[in-house]
Structure formats: C-alpha cells, structure tokens
Amino acid sequence: MSRGFSITARLRPELVATITATVAVIATLAVAATLLALGGHSPGDAFAALARGAFGTWDRFVSFTLVRATPLLLTGLAVALAFRARVWNIGAEGQLHAGALAGVAVALLLPGAGAVLALPITLLAAAAAGALWASVPAAMKTEMGVGEVITTLLMNFVALFLAQFLVQGPLRESRGVFNQTDEIPAAAHLPALLPDTRLHLGFLFGVVIAVTLWLFLTRTPGGFRIRAAGASVRAAEVSGRFSVTPVIWLSFLASGAIAGLAGWIQIAGVTHRMYEGLSPGWGYTAIAVALLARLHPLAVVVTAIVFGALSAGGGAMQREAGVPEVWVRGIEALVILAVLTADRIVQGMAASRD
Amino acid sequence: MTDLAALSSFVVAAVGLAVPLGLAALGETVSQRSGVINIGLEGSVIWGALGGALGALAVGPYWGLATGVLAGGLAALVFAGFAVRLGTDQIITGTAVTIGSLGFTGAVFQSRFGATGLALELQTVPAWEVPLLSRIPLLGPAFFDQAVTAYLAYAMVPLLGWFLFRTRWGLALRAAGESPEAAHAAGVPVVRTRMLAAVFGGAMAGLAGAHLSLVHTGTFAENMSAGKGFIAIAVVVLGRWRPWGVFAAALFFGGAEALQFTLQALDADLPYPLFLALPYVLSLAALAGWFGRSRAPEGLALPWPR
Amino acid sequence: MTAAARLDSITRRFGHVTALDTVDFELAPGEIHGLLGENGAGKTTLANILGGLLVADAGGVEIGGRAVDLRSARDARALGVAMVHQHFSLVPRFTGFENVALFNGEAWTRRGTATRGYRSQVEARARELKLAVELDAPVAELGVGERQRIEILKALMSDTRVLLLDEPTAVLAPQEVDGLFAVLREVAGAGTAIVLVAHKLDEVLAVADRVTVLRRGRHVLTEAAAGLTARELAKAMVGRGLAAAGARGAGWAAGSEGEPPSARAAADAGGRAGQSEADADPVAVLDDVTVGSGEAPALRDVSLTVHRGEILGIAGVDGNGQRALAAVLAGMVRPDTGTANLSEEAGWIPQDRSDEGLVKDFTIVENVALALHGNASHRRGPWLDWAGIADRSAALVDEMDVLAGSPDARAGTLSGGNQQKVVTGRELLRAGELLVAESPTRGLDVQATRAVRARIVELARTGDRPPGVVLISTDLDEVLELADRIAVMVRGRLIPVPPEDCDATAIGALMLSAGSTGDGGHGGGGNDAGHGGGRAGREHTT
C-alpha cells in the first residue's frame, strides 16, 4: 500500500546528503585516478603527495591548508546563504573585490589616531561595500525582474576593472613601481590566530560566521523565512504569509557583505596590500564549496578546508609526484560534476517514488 | 599624421580583439536563444586554443582551426550532457566545466610540453587581404586584412540572423528558449534542440580559442582564454541576443580593450580600466532598460523537462 | 462509416488514483462530441491520451480505423489529431503568425519575403474559417479570445481529422462563445471530428451532436445531444458521487422529488439560526470587492458576510474567481475597489496543497512552523521555539491522525491525504476567526475526506466563539453536505442561492450555466450573499 511504502521509503535528508556526498567523492577519486593514470602519473603517489602537502605536518595544515581555506570559507558561506534563498549570486568574486577595495581604502586613509578602531572600521567598510555591490543586482531582480545570474556576473567584471583602476591610479603605492597599494598600517593587520603560524584571525571569523549563519538559518524566524522562500516561493507566500521580496534583499545583501569580508580579510590577514589578481577566482570556486556542502554553513567549513587542502597540496603533488599543480582544478571540477550527478540521481529516485 | 596612425592601429586592434569575442558570443547567442546559458564557454575557448595548437603542430594551422572547433564543441558536449540531458543546474555545471577545463588543459599542456613554460611557437594562420575592400581607408585594413576566422565571424552574422529568424529550425530553437512547454506541445524536441545549440555554441567558442592560439598569438599559454568566454556572455547581453547586435557589441568590447593598448602607446594618462568596465556597465544598463528593453529568453537557464 | 477515432477500454492511473477506468469512446467524422464531467472525472486525461500527451496504461487507440501507438503529440499530429490547450501552448513573445508557423513546422519571416506563400495560406485559412486573428502582434499582448483563435487556426492549418478542445469556453465572454461555436460548426461541417471537453451543460447542448459523460474515471453515457436535457446531464455527471456521500445524497441522486435535497442543509441553517443570531458578529465582510481589471476581472463587485460559527459554501466551476476570493479573504490580496473587513489572521487551506500548502522538502514540524514562526508565543527572544512548535506538531499529527513515522517526516514523503491533513491541521491553528478552505478534499480517498470534513465541521460547531468557515469547493456534494448557506461563483461574481433553491439540480444549473454575466435571472436578484443568502434579511453589523 502506498501509504506504508512512503513511510518505509523515507530517509532522513541528512543521511541522504551524506550518502550522496560520499558516493560523489568516491566517484571523483575513481575518475581522477583513471585520468591521472591515463596522463602517465601514478594516482597513488599523486594522492599521497597531495595529502602530505595538505595535512603532512601541523604547520602544513595550519599555515597552508587553513590559510588557503579562509577566503573559500567566507565566499562559500556567502554563496550558500544566497543559494539557500534561491538567489543565484554568481557575484561573490565581485563582492569580494569591492570589500577588499573598501577595506584597503579605509585602512590607508584612516588617520593614525583611529588605530585602535582600524580593524572594526575596515571590516565594517568591507562588509558594507560587498553589500552595496550586491544591492545593484538585488534591486534589478526585485524591482525590474532581471535575473541575477547575468547581472551578478557582469558586476564581477565591473569590480575587477574598478580594482585595476584603483591600484593603478588613486591607490597606487607611493613608490610607484608596481600596480599595488601601499602596505596597510599594522593596526589594520589581522593578528595571528595561533603563534608561530601564518594562520590569522580571519579563519576564526569564518568559523564564527558559519556557526552564526547556521543558528540563524535553523533557529530564527528570519532564517526560517530564507529557507522557506528558497524551498518554495509559492508555499512561502501562501502558507507562510510573508512576502519573499525582503527575504531576497536580506539574503542578497548579507551574502554580499560576507563575500566583501572575504576580500578584506585576505588582505588584512595575508597579503597586507591590494594588487591586481588578488583572487584566483575564489568567488567561483566558492560555488563548488557551497554546493558540495549542500548549502549547509557548518559543512561549508569542512568543504572549504577540503578545497584549501587541494590548493595547499597541489604544490607538493607537483614537487613530489611530478603531477602538475593544475590537476587540482580538474579534480575540483570532477567533484562538482559528481555531486550534481549524484543529486540528480537521488532526485530521480525520489520522483519515481512519488 | 601620428594621430591618424594611432587611430588606424586602434581600429585594427579593436577588430582583432573583437573577432574571438564575436565568434564565441555568436555561438553563445544561439545557445542562449535555445534556453541554455553556458558559463562553461570559457572552457570551450581554452580547449579550442589548446586543441588548435595541438592540431596545428600535428598537421598544420588550418587543421588546427578544425581541431579547435572540435575541442570546443566537445567541452560544450560535456556541459550539455550534464546540464541539458541530465538536467543539472546550468550555472553550477558551467562553472565546473570552466574550472575543470582550465585545469585539464593546463595538465595536458604541461604533460606535452613540460612545466617550464617554454614558449611554444606555432605556425600561424595567415591573413588574407581582400582586394579592393582592404583599401578602404581606416576600416579596410582593420576588417579586410584578417585571417579566415574573422571572415567566418562576419559570415556568421547574416547567416545566424537568417537561421534564427527566417527558418523553421530557428523558430523551433527560439521557441525552446522562450517557452519549452509550448515548444514541446508544438512537437519541438526541446532536449535535442538545446543540446545541439549548446554544442554549436561551444564549437564557435572553440574557434575563438583557436583564433587566440593560431592567429592572435601563435602560441599557447595556460589560462590564455583570460575570461573571454565570460566576456562573450556579456557581449550577448549587450547585443540583445541578436546576431547583428552581438557583432556590434563585440566590436564595442574589442574597442574598449584596444583603447587600453592605444592609450598606453600614446602614453596618455587615462584610466583605461574604466574604459574596460564601460561595456559591462552598459550591458547592465541595457538589462535595466535604460535604452530600450533588453530581455533574455524567458526560458533561459530553466531546466526541461521540469 | 469508419470512426474518426476510437478508444477501447482505456485505463490510466496517476499513482494510486485511477483517472480513467476501462473507458470506451468513439468519435464519428464530422461530429461535435461534447465530453462532460466534473473536475477530476477524467475528461482531460481522455483528451490527452487521444492527443498523444499521455500514454494509457491499458487499452487501445484507433485513429481512422487503424490501431495506433501514440507516444507524443507529434505522433498524434502526424495522424491528423490536433489539440487546443488551455495553457502553455503558445509562445508568449512570438507573434500569432510565428506561433502558427512553429506549430506547423513552417519557415517564417518578419516581412514574409521568404515564405510569402505560407503567410497567404494562413490568411486564407483564417478567412475560410471566419476566424478574426491578429497575426503580427506578440500573443502576450492579445486577449484570451484572440489567443484562442490563433490556437484553433494553428491546429487547423494542416489536414485535421480530430480536433480536441480542452475547456475552450472557460476563458471566453458569452459573445465570444457564440463566435467559437460558429467556427466549430464550420470546421465540423468540413468533416473534422471535434471533441469539446467542457463542464457547462447548456453550452454543450447548444453545439454538440453527441455527448459523452464521464464520472470519476468511468464512462456513464454516450447519447445524441438532441435527446438530452441539462437536468439529465447534471444528474449523470454528479450521480454516483452523491451515493458515496451518504444517504441524503443518494436520496436526491435518485431524484426523489418528495424530499428536497437541501433538507438537512436547510434544517441545519434553520436550527442553528437562533444561536447564530445571538452572536451574530461577522468575522469577515466584503463590500463590493473587485480584483483585477479589464473585461474579465477575477472578482467583480463581490459582497459577502461570514458569520461566526457558520459554514458558507461557495460552489462553482474551477476558475471562476474562487482563487481570488480565497486570497482576499486570507488577506493576501487587497481589493482593487471595494472594502474588505477582515480579522487579523485567517486559516487558508489552498487548493494546490503540494505546491502552496506545503514545502515538500520541509518536515511536518517545519511546515507547521510556516504558520507559527511569526507568532510571538513561539519565540524565545530572537529564537524560534522549536520545542514548542514540535509539541504543537506532534499534537496535530495525533489529532488529525496523520499517518507518518514522526513529525520529523518530510512532507513530500506523505501521501496526498496525509499532506492535506497536515495543511488542514495547521490552518486550523490560524483559524481563530476565519477559515477559508479551497477544495479541501479534492483527490483524497474516502477516509481522508471524512477526516478533513469532520475537522472543518467540528471547528465551526464547537466552542464559545467558533470561527466562520468559507468552504470553496468545486465538489457540489461537499458544499451541499457541509454548508449552512450556499453561493455560487460564476465569472467572478458571487450569486447567492436562496435556501429554497438549495438542491443540486438548481445549483448545478447555476454553476454549469454558460452564465449571463451574473446580474439578474439567477434568483436572489443581487450579488450579496450575505444579504440574499439563506438568512435573507439579516443585516451585518459593521
């Protein structure tokens, strides 16, 4: 009988998610191993070297893997939040640049007396700039009905060129040699999180934001609305009796703000100056980070570390196993495709059960 | 006179930069008209560049163009296999294809030529000077002293205009992009149409990539697509999803990029990154309806069957 | 003569619902065949099978005397079967001509240069069929009648043996209906067999040669229209449903004129009148409410008063403004003109339970939270009181007898009946003053139907200050069984039914009528259900 069947066929979504992710990761490893073998490399050596590079020593893990995970963690959270509300924010890259620029500009222009407040003020400025950058596509979506996929993508380019313009012109270093800004004052540096490592407070910020987002999404009325609007606009409006427009604004702006923080935190914690090409595309990789975490903020911490490890281990893979570092990006893509496929298969099974 | 020379070199550079953008964007126009937004276009461009380089090394530059087309089309086939056939999210799938393509082309390149980045020298596709037309002052050398890829781009404009707006296949393709339900009800095979359109878009992007390696630079370098696939998507928007508009928009984007070099050459102290940003701002303005309404196909990025 | 099409013992199921049960259907060339039935009777499913959009689970299809295997609309078209849908069949941003060309696989040019021939063919065909069509404007800019004419034209451009029309008159104004029928007669006269899916009796009788009635997926009758009356048809359409609804229903289904079918409803109303008068405070008052504009606004000058403790039944064929009425009563839509005096929050059981009533990916608890999350009593500071909401949900699962492993079961995994119990239970939480129930038992099995109805009745009948209930249903039995007063929605107007007319035939005639535009001719003489209804004469106090 159908009723009995639907009960026995019911699985907890978390369980389904875990199974899908596991299957996807295994599939990825299998495909990657095959490709590596085809490319004349030893998959075992490659994976081992990658693992050593990422996790081999405490310092490798903390100073490389976790440091590289930090911008991915923040942008991943930004994307996850937006996607939860079904806001397809492809613009984390641009929002990251907006935040980086605002943070640097404020840090450089702040009078010396403001040193104590340098960090809070610059963090605020970065978040505000990221949100501002997101507000353009948000307004176009809610006021004009223009889809955010294309607009956020376009805004990325505008941000990139704006950054180029600023580091070549108004914010260019006083020496005038390279296209980069002056070093930010020490007061605006993010302190180290662990002594004698390169890991800075930014990682902790990321974790705190992840926990906050998780609590917000699961425990508060506002977060509940984001989840409801993301799951079904019509059900949210008819059964939840709320308008989704403010929900879209909230998630768009918050997403932009977090992505903005990512940019500035990278500068305040690692580079201490802004230059062209600050981001190797974190805002795009973030989509994979968020997706692999199935948009769950706490899981984003894990997946960001996984991607951070891929990035940190890539160098070792090249040195020790002779596998070019670029393979790492290929593996990232395989992860995304595997998760998408596993998702579709699970959906297909669910649909055929209904 | 120097001004004229500068202007002339600017126009030449603008057209040169517009050609790969135009090729990729014309392909993406067809893809988007069928309802598929391919963010993985960047992947097709880089595969096209590498495929072109390998083909040129193995056989010759013209064959290189063909292998570039093939490589770009195959990358799009992977994308479409997931995003259209399997129905995964188009945006995320496209992102994955771009990331993976940049990675795997690098891997293939390094395994073939080593990681040292020795500059690869390729035999380039020569320019063909069109008699008479190339003598038109200013525009002649720019438009009519180009490699075959440029002429293919020019030819594609009226051809695609005719195809999209004058043929039953174009009508069916646009219907799949506007309203897959209605297209399906009218007997249009929506999935097949979208697959073909996406692969065509990838093939055109592959040609654009081959142009980069075999016409523009004569070499291959990792990441040499440099965002051209993404830019092509913006070109489609500014061109309002119409071949002629897309062609004009590609010239505009190319011009903005060329201005950078011209200004550098002239030593003019102008903020050229702002010129580079201008086409994107205008694309946004176009979407916002500031000069006439520019609207994406209504079924764009929507999966079918739902 | 060879039949234009024949369906032989067709069965089609959707999940555990049998939409068609061994149904036979035959279509003669050149006839207009009315296919009648209530919502859910299976008539659209039948048409879709003939049109190639659905494949039957069992049974055979013959077209032109040849057994065929229809796998797609394309297959059907190749055999000369064309279908005119209500929805999704025109590309909104294409012009009329583009749509005609698309459907017929023809090339098109904006100025008609390359295919001038086809353009003139289209124009010629339109003239031949006396169809006034606008070919050069995007169809999104056209009115419904114009769009429908393009639908018909595009279907009839090629040789068509069978033309299927799914509820073509539902969207049309009366004069447009006459025009449509003239076209259909023209088309049938040329030898095309037409299937007219409908639920308006007099329309079908006006134009059809033969009529087939389906009821709950089964074939009831096929007869020449000339020998039938609207009353007989109404009976055939609703008959068995009443037997299932109970003894009273069976009574009037059998047509026992001696006992007015509305006896109980009337008695209820009378018996409860005293009590109701005592606390005659209205919980919702609409005054001359109009929603939408143009020729066919969703609601047109609707006035009604809902009183505490009563069930106001609103009968009507789908798509006559019920949706807008529910949205206004639930406070989701503001009237464009007129006033709505409503309580703060109302329960609303929406018709589309799986897309609007529930978030399928949410658990039962989360779905209950849709109603409670805005409620101060379910917050602890900034936090949602999940423990409290979970308790309420557990109680709800218990009270409503929801068959689910636990309140943490995802709604999407529940059967339709259990989903509806969750929605009902949740909306009862909100229904302190008013509950709007839209076809609350559609598609449910007998037990779930009984449970949901019982809860709604209980809600209105118990407590010191029971809420008022507005029961909007396309199921006439349900309205007759539950409601104290009845009104009918036709084309956005609300027509009150006087108590003495509360029998299925009268109401059926009213709701199935092609409808004058609602003023006059339908008893009552006005549109104010609150004044003209079962408790005529009582004033509402606002």
Side-chain angles (χ1 to χ4, degrees):
Chain A
M1 194 182 148
S2 62
R3 203 177 284 150
F5 178 53
S6 65
I7 294 168
T8 52
R10 180 170 49 80
L11 284 175
R12 294 187 61 79
E14 291 80 6
L15 186 61
V16 174
T18 314
I19 294 172
T20 340
T22 313
V23 170
V25 166
I26 292 170
T28 305
L29 286 176
V31 175
T34 312
L35 290 175
L36 279 166
L38 283 176
H41 306 289
S42 155
D45 290 355
F47 291 147
L50 196 145
R52 273 196 303 278
F55 305 106
T57 65
W58 175 246
D59 189 58
R60 284 303 300 178
F61 177 62
V62 173
S63 293
F64 289 85
T65 296
L66 291 188
V67 169
R68 296 205 181 173
T70 302
L72 290 173
L73 168 57
L74 287 161
T75 48
L77 290 170
V79 171
L81 175 63
F83 280 22
R84 267 298 176 97
R86 228 176 266 182
V87 166
W88 304 119
N89 180 13
I90 314 297
E93 185 77 0
Q95 292 141 19
L96 175 148
H97 276 88
L101 288 172
V104 168
V106 171
L108 292 174
L109 299 176
L110 206 65
V116 186
L117 291 173
L119 265 177
I121 290 177
T122 50
L123 286 169
L124 269 179
L132 182 74
W133 213 252
S135 70
V136 174
M140 287 178 76
K141 178 182 172 76
T142 56
E143 307 304 312
M144 305 168 192
V146 181
E148 68 274 24
V149 168
I150 289 174
T151 52
T152 49
L153 192 63
L154 293 174
M155 288 297 287
N156 286 348
F157 289 99
V158 181
L160 233 54
F161 290 123
L162 184 65
Q164 234 181 59
F165 163 67
L166 289 174
V167 298
Q168 288 175 11
L171 291 180
R172 195 165 191 229
E173 64 175 352
S174 32
R175 286 186 304 159
V177 179
F178 297 111
N179 285 336
Q180 59 181 22
T181 65
D182 281 324
E183 191 169 330
I184 53 170
H189 290 194
L190 275 172
L193 182 59
L194 296 170
D196 301 325
T197 69
R198 291 171 51 222
L199 188 63
H200 51 90
L201 208 56
F203 181 74
L204 185 64
F205 275 176
V207 175
V208 169
I209 291 174
V211 174
T212 310
L213 274 186
W214 173 65
L215 288 173
F216 171 70
L217 285 171
T218 56
R219 306 288 156 91
T220 69
F224 178 75
R225 288 187 170 195
I226 287 183
R227 291 196 293 130
S232 166
V233 170
R234 284 170 67 197
E237 290 186 336
V238 171
S239 293
R241 308 281 167 82
F242 60 85
S243 158
V244 298
T245 306
V247 176
I248 289 170
W249 270 101
L250 173 69
S251 34
F252 225 138
L253 294 186
S255 172
I258 297 171
L261 282 177
W264 166 238
I265 282 177
Q266 180 66 11
I267 291 172
V270 180
T271 67
H272 297 161
R273 51 171 105 229
M274 172 82 186
Y275 47 83
E276 281 179 39
L278 174 77
S279 157
W282 288 314
Y284 298 108
T285 311
I287 297 170
V289 169
L291 176 80
L292 186 59
R294 307 187 63 96
L295 312 184
H296 193 299
L298 297 184
V300 168
V301 179
V302 179
T303 55
I305 292 174
V306 169
F307 277 80
L310 281 175
S311 160
M317 191 174 73
Q318 179 155 356
R319 273 193 315 278
E320 298 174 23
V323 178
E325 198 172 347
V326 287
W327 273 87
V328 161
R329 310 196 70 182
I331 294 173
E332 284 176 13
L334 292 178
V335 172
I336 304 173
L337 292 180
V339 171
L340 285 174
T341 309
D343 256 8
R344 281 304 291 182
I345 292 169
V346 169
Q347 274 174 30
M349 275 157 43
S352 66
R353 208 167 57 210
D354 284 348
Chain B
M1 191 57 215
T2 46
D3 279 0
L4 190 60
L7 183 61
S8 167
S9 73
F10 164 73
V11 177
V12 169
V15 175
L17 291 163
V19 166
L21 285 180
L23 286 169
L26 285 168
E28 177 73 5
T29 303
V30 172
S31 179
Q32 293 202 12
R33 279 284 185 178
S34 82
V36 179
I37 180 167
N38 183 1
I39 304 254
L41 205 64
E42 178 81 0
S44 284
V45 175
I46 192 71
W47 275 114
L50 180 63
L54 294 176
L57 281 175
V59 199
Y62 284 103
W63 281 101
L65 294 181
T67 49
V69 168
L70 194 68
L74 282 176
L77 183 64
V78 170
F79 164 79
F82 282 95
V84 178
R85 175 69 66 190
L86 197 59
T88 58
D89 184 87
Q90 293 182 8
I91 301 304
I92 302 172
T93 310
T95 308
V97 168
T98 291
I99 294 175
S101 299
L102 293 173
F104 284 127
T105 50
V108 170
F109 176 69
Q110 289 191 21
S111 74
R112 184 84 155 64
F113 304 104
T116 46
L118 266 179
L120 180 67
E121 274 195 44
L122 298 168
Q123 197 192 340
T124 55
V125 175
W128 292 344
E129 201 180 324
V130 181
L132 294 177
L133 286 178
S134 61
R135 291 209 220 122
I136 300 170
L138 203 59
L139 298 182
F143 281 95
F144 298 107
D145 188 9
Q146 292 275 1
V148 61
T149 43
Y151 303 122
L152 279 173
Y154 307 157
M156 275 297 172
V157 177
L159 201 63
L160 289 180
W162 170 80
F163 170 78
L164 284 173
F165 299 106
R166 308 265 154 141
T167 69
R168 74 187 69 175
W169 302 287
L171 192 64
L173 184 143
R174 287 187 293 125
E178 288 290 343
S179 169
E181 294 88 356
H184 175 71
V188 176
V190 175
V191 169
R192 200 192 314 158
T193 303
R194 286 181 162 193
M195 290 284 291
L196 286 173
V199 170
F200 173 78
M204 290 288 285
L207 186 59
H211 172 94
L212 291 180
S213 59
L214 297 178
V215 178
H216 200 65
T217 61
T219 186
F220 177 85
E222 290 178 47
N223 299 332
M224 77 181 295
S225 50
K228 290 239 167 6
F230 286 118
I231 299 172
I233 292 167
V235 171
V236 174
V237 176
L238 190 63
R240 300 187 190 191
W241 292 270
R242 291 175 175 280
W244 282 104
V246 167
F247 183 69
L251 284 173
F252 184 65
F253 271 80
E257 211 179 325
L259 206 55
Q260 168 181 4
F261 303 116
T262 307
L263 292 176
Q264 275 169 338
L266 290 178
D267 232 6
D269 193 20
L270 285 169
Y272 67 80
L274 294 187
F275 289 103
L276 289 176
L278 188 64
Y280 299 94
V281 174
L282 288 178
S283 298
L284 283 162
L287 284 171
W290 285 0
F291 35 96
R293 189 85 165 121
S294 172
R295 285 171 62 187
E298 286 192 340
L300 189 63
L302 296 182
W304 173 266
R306 285 188 212 295
Chain C
M1 187 156 46
T2 321
R6 189 201 309 275
L7 298 179
D8 187 25
S9 198
I10 293 284
T11 297
R12 167 74 201 202
R13 294 181 199 88
F14 295 99
H16 51 97
V17 178
T18 303
L20 287 178
D21 188 358
T22 57
V23 170
D24 298 326
F25 182 72
E26 193 187 275
L27 196 57
E31 77 165 332
I32 300 180
H33 197 130
L35 185 54
L36 281 168
E38 287 189 302
N39 287 307
K43 50 195 192 302
T44 298
T45 308
L46 187 89
N48 281 338
I49 286 172
L50 195 49
L53 294 177
L54 289 173
V55 178
D57 295 325
V61 181
E62 261 177 42
I63 290 174
R66 216 154 46 86
V68 293
D69 183 23
L70 301 177
R71 295 270 143 194
S72 69
R74 186 171 256 199
D75 291 353
R77 278 184 50 64
L79 292 162
V81 178
M83 189 155 183
V84 173
H85 303 268
Q86 288 263 54
H87 306 290
F88 299 137
S89 43
L90 293 176
V91 180
R93 271 154 65 177
F94 279 12
T95 64
F97 183 55
E98 277 178 296
N99 271 294
V100 172
L102 172 71
F103 193 74
N104 291 284
E106 287 293 337
W108 166 84
T109 74
R110 203 168 317 150
R111 279 171 292 279
T113 45
T115 53
R116 177 161 290 151
Y118 190 63
R119 171 77 191 215
S120 50
Q121 277 175 41
V122 172
E123 283 169 359
R125 190 85 174 111
R127 271 195 306 276
E128 209 174 294
L129 296 168
K130 301 193 175 69
L131 278 168
V133 286
E134 163 62 61
L135 290 173
D136 294 321
V139 294
E141 291 168 13
L142 303 179
V144 280
E146 289 175 294
R147 266 182 272 172
Q148 189 175 59
R149 288 196 289 274
I150 287 168
E151 291 267 20
I152 292 172
L153 178 62
K154 83 176 198 202
L156 293 178
M157 277 310 294
S158 54
D159 276 347
T160 307
R161 199 192 305 260
V162 177
L163 177 65
L164 302 162
L165 295 137
D166 189 7
E167 313 253 357
T169 60
V171 292
L172 298 183
Q175 60 273 29
E176 285 179 317
V177 171
D178 294 341
L180 172 68
F181 286 172
V183 169
L184 296 187
R185 285 193 196 96
E186 199 83 28
V187 173
T192 300
I194 296 177
V195 179
L196 186 66
V197 177
H199 44 210
K200 293 180 185 168
L201 305 175
D202 41 7
E203 280 181 9
V204 170
L205 288 174
V207 72
D209 302 310
R210 285 202 296 166
V211 178
T212 289
V213 175
L214 297 180
R215 188 171 63 223
R216 312 220 167 164
R218 286 181 164 275
H219 179 262
V220 177
L221 67 79
T222 297
E223 277 175 38
L228 289 165
T229 65
R231 204 179 167 85
E232 286 165 339
L233 279 178
K235 225 178 259 178
M237 282 168 68
V238 297
R240 204 188 89 188
L242 298 160
R248 181 189 62 84
W252 72 257
S256 88
E257 302 289 327
E259 184 194 16
S262 59
R264 204 189 75 178
D268 270 2
R272 293 171 37 75
Q275 179 205 336
S276 295
E277 297 288 356
D279 50 19
D281 52 335
V283 291
V285 180
L286 301 189
D287 221 2
D288 274 336
V289 166
T290 295
V291 172
S293 57
E295 272 183 38
L299 288 183
R300 218 192 273 248
D301 301 329
V302 167
S303 299
L304 72 80
T305 306
V306 186
H307 301 273
R308 212 170 263 299
E310 76 164 342
I311 299 177
L312 172 60
I314 298 193
V317 170
D318 243 355
N320 274 285
Q322 292 96 324
R323 170 82 215 188
L325 178 65
V328 167
L329 285 170
M332 288 289 294
V333 167
R334 261 176 230 287
D336 290 324
T337 62
T339 55
N341 270 310
L342 304 164
S343 53
E344 222 165 79
E345 194 178 42
W348 177 12
I349 303 172
Q351 183 177 86
D352 185 348
R353 79 181 68 100
S354 65
D355 281 341
E356 294 184 335
L358 290 167
V359 176
K360 278 177 280 189
D361 286 340
F362 274 10
T363 63
I364 293 176
V365 176
E366 287 171 320
N367 272 294
V368 172
L370 283 174
L372 300 177
H373 76 276
N375 201 325
S377 62
H378 286 283
R379 288 190 191 178
R380 296 265 161 82
W383 310 112
L384 272 174
D385 173 22
W386 278 116
I389 295 171
D391 287 348
R392 289 296 286 269
S393 308
L396 182 154
V397 165
D398 222 38
E399 278 164 34
M400 295 300 301
D401 196 22
V402 179
L403 259 161
S406 80
D408 290 323
R410 272 186 308 148
T413 64
L414 304 178
S415 70
N418 285 311
Q419 289 184 352
Q420 186 68 333
K421 286 179 186 174
V422 172
V423 175
T424 305
R426 182 191 68 210
E427 295 306 316
L428 292 180
L429 297 175
R430 278 173 160 154
E433 302 285 301
L434 178 66
L435 175 71
V436 181
E438 249 185 297
S439 292
T441 62
R442 177 185 280 191
L444 302 191
D445 61 28
V446 178
Q447 281 154 317
T449 299
R450 200 173 290 154
V452 168
R453 286 185 184 168
R455 288 295 289 146
I456 291 172
V457 172
E458 189 188 339
L459 178 76
R461 301 292 185 247
T462 47
D464 294 339
R465 291 173 60 78
V469 173
V470 177
L471 172 69
I472 300 173
S473 181
T474 52
D475 179 351
L476 188 49
D477 304 344
E478 180 164 81
V479 173
L480 284 166
E481 185 182 329
L482 302 180
D484 302 316
R485 284 190 299 147
I486 296 175
V488 174
M489 284 220 77
V490 180
R491 292 183 199 289
R493 292 189 187 271
L494 193 63
I495 304 163
V497 181
E500 62 275 16
D501 281 353
C502 277
D503 66 81
T505 320
I507 295 174
L510 204 53
M511 61 189 253
L512 298 169
S513 65
S516 64
T517 42
D519 12 42
H522 283 302
N527 292 319
D528 186 341
H531 300 301
R535 292 173 193 144
R538 194 176 61 189
E539 295 297 317
H540 62 69
T541 54
T542 36

